[in-house]
Amino acid sequence: MTDFTRRQALFLAASLPFAGAVTQARAAAQKITVALDWTVNTNHIGLFVARDKGFYRDAGLDVEILPYGDTGSGTLVANRVADFGISGSLGLFTQKSAGADLKAIYAVVQSETGRVVFNADRAIKTPKNLDGLTYGGFGSAWENALLQTIIRHDGGKGDFSTVTLGTSAYEALANGAVDFTLEVSTWEGVEAELKGLKQRSFRYADYGVPDEHTTLIVSSNAFLAANPKAAAAFVQATRRGYAFAVDHAKEAGELLVAANQDTLTNPALIDASLKALNDGHFLKSASGAIGAMDKAKMQAMGGYLFASGILLDGNGKALKDKPDLAAYFTNEFLG
C-alpha cells in the first residue's frame, strides 16, 4: 500500500462520495477463477497481463489465477471448481468426448507449437529414419498415433520403441538415452537453444497431421449459459492481455516474471520464449487473428482424433460415430 501525501489525503476526503461509489463498484466485481494446465509459462502471459494491467478490473471482473496442481484444468472446469481453464487441444477433445462439460472459447496459439525433436548429430534425415529407434514419451495413446502418422506419411512403418519418461525425456534426449521425443518449440525448444544444445525437428503438419490451435481456453456450457456477459468480458479482456504481450513483449515478460518470481527464475527464457511466440505468429497470426479459433482447424483435428481411435466415450470405448465437433468450440464471446 502506498503512502498518501497531504494533498492526496485532502483530495480523498473531498471525494468521499465518489470513493464510496468506486468501492461499491469494485465490491460488485464478479469473481472469476482460472485454472492453469501446467506450471506458469509464456502460454499464460495474457492472463497475468490482463490481471495486473487492470484489464479484468476494467471489465468488472475480479480474476483469480489458480496455482497449478495435480488435478487437470479441464476436470476443474467441467466440475465447476474453476470457471475457465487453459487446456491443450487434445484435452478438450478427449475429455468432452468422454462426457465432460467443456467448450473452447479462446485460442491461445494460432498454430501447432509441438515438434518431434532429436539431436542434430544424428543421421536422421526424414521421419522414416525414426523407425527402430527409441522414443522418450509421456504416456498417452495420442503420442503413438501422432508419431505413426508422421513416420508412415514419410514412407516408414511407424515401428519404434517407447520409454515413458515424462519431462525427464528432455534430459534423456540430451544425454543420448533416447533417440527422439516431443517438445513445445516455443518453450522446451527455446530452452534447449539457450543451453547450447544442437537439435533438429520435424513439424507435425508437414507430415500428415492437421495443424491445430495447440493451447486453448475452455469453460463449461453450464457457466457460459449462466454468465454470458461475464464470459464475454473475460474473453475480451484476456484478448487485450495477449495483444499487449504481442505489442509490448518486454514489459509483458517483465510483468510475468514479477508475478511469478518463485517459479520463473530465468528471465532470459521468458524473453526468448515470448520472442519465439511472436516471431512465429503464434499469439497473433500473420493475418492478424488473436484468440479466434479457425473452424477448419478445429474440425480437422477433431476428425483426425476420431479417425485415429483417440476419442473415447464415458466407458472408455472408441466412439463409433463422429461427434458434432461444432459443439466443442465457439468464437461468440470474442465480440
Side-chain angles (χ1 to χ4, degrees), residues 119-120 170 173-174 188-189 191-199:
N119 293 329
Y170 304 117
L173 179 66
E188 288 90 6
E191 188 172 31
E193 289 183 11
L194 291 177
K195 291 178 178 178
L197 301 178
K198 304 299 182 182
Q199 298 178 336

Side-chain angles (χ1 to χ4, degrees), residues 60-280:
L61 304 176
D62 177 14
V63 174
E64 179 185 5
I65 302 172
L66 302 176
Y68 173 70
D70 293 334
T71 304
S73 57
T75 299
L76 294 175
V77 170
N79 289 284
R80 299 298 300 275
V81 177
D83 302 316
F84 299 93
I86 301 287
S87 172
S89 174
L90 176 64
L92 165 73
F93 284 112
T94 55
Q95 287 186 283
K96 186 170 180 63
S97 294
D101 180 14
L102 292 174
K103 177 171 280 189
I105 45 84
Y106 187 95
V108 174
V109 296
Q110 290 298 309
S111 57
E112 176 67 68
T113 55
R115 301 285 188 271
V116 180
V117 64
F118 48 94
N119 293 329
D121 60 359
R122 298 298 304 275
I124 299 172
K125 303 301 182 184
T126 65
K128 65 184 177 183
N129 299 140
L130 301 176
D131 269 334
L133 301 184
T134 300
Y135 164 63
F138 302 86
S140 72
W142 151 249
E143 298 162 53
N144 286 334
L146 170 74
L147 290 167
Q148 286 174 351
T149 296
I150 291 171
I151 294 171
R152 290 170 181 171
H153 189 274
D154 189 47
K157 296 179 179 179
D159 295 334
F160 52 89
S161 300
T162 298
V163 179
T164 301
L165 298 172
T167 55
S168 297
Y170 304 117
E171 181 180 352
L173 179 66
N175 63 33
V178 298
D179 300 305
F180 63 102
T181 189
L182 303 179
E183 70 170 16
V184 177
S185 62
T186 54
W187 189 255
E188 288 90 6
V190 168
E191 188 172 31
E193 289 183 11
L194 291 177
K195 291 178 178 178
L197 301 178
K198 304 299 182 182
Q199 298 178 336
R200 292 185 290 120
S201 62
F202 301 130
R203 294 178 63 252
Y204 306 163
D206 290 339
Y207 296 96
V209 179
D211 191 18
E212 64 169 335
H213 300 291
T214 321
T215 306
L216 305 164
I217 297 177
V218 300
S219 187
S220 63
N221 285 294
F223 179 86
L224 296 173
N227 303 274
K229 291 184 179 179
F234 172 79
V235 170
Q236 291 165 31
T238 298
R239 181 167 58 179
R240 283 186 67 191
Y242 280 102
F244 186 93
V246 172
D247 295 334
H248 307 281
K250 180 174 177 56
E251 183 179 347
E254 291 173 348
L255 186 154
L256 183 66
V257 172
N260 300 278
Q261 294 182 28
D262 292 340
T263 54
L264 299 181
T265 57
N266 184 359
L269 173 59
I270 302 304
D271 290 344
S273 175
L274 192 52
K275 184 177 188 302
L277 283 165
N278 285 331
D279 288 353

Side-chain angles (χ1 to χ4, degrees), residues 263-325:
T263 54
L264 299 181
T265 57
N266 184 359
L269 173 59
I270 302 304
D271 290 344
S273 175
L274 192 52
K275 184 177 188 302
L277 283 165
N278 285 331
D279 288 353
H281 297 290
F282 291 107
L283 296 183
K284 180 179 180 179
S285 73
S287 63
I290 299 180
M293 286 167 284
D294 183 283
K295 179 180 178 180
K297 283 186 179 181
M298 295 295 287
Q299 291 278 359
M301 179 50 67
Y304 171 77
L305 293 172
F306 169 71
S308 300
I310 301 299
L311 300 186
L312 311 180
D313 63 20
N315 297 315
K317 303 294 185 181
L319 295 184
K320 294 182 179 179
D321 299 313
K322 185 177 179 180
D324 177 14
L325 296 172

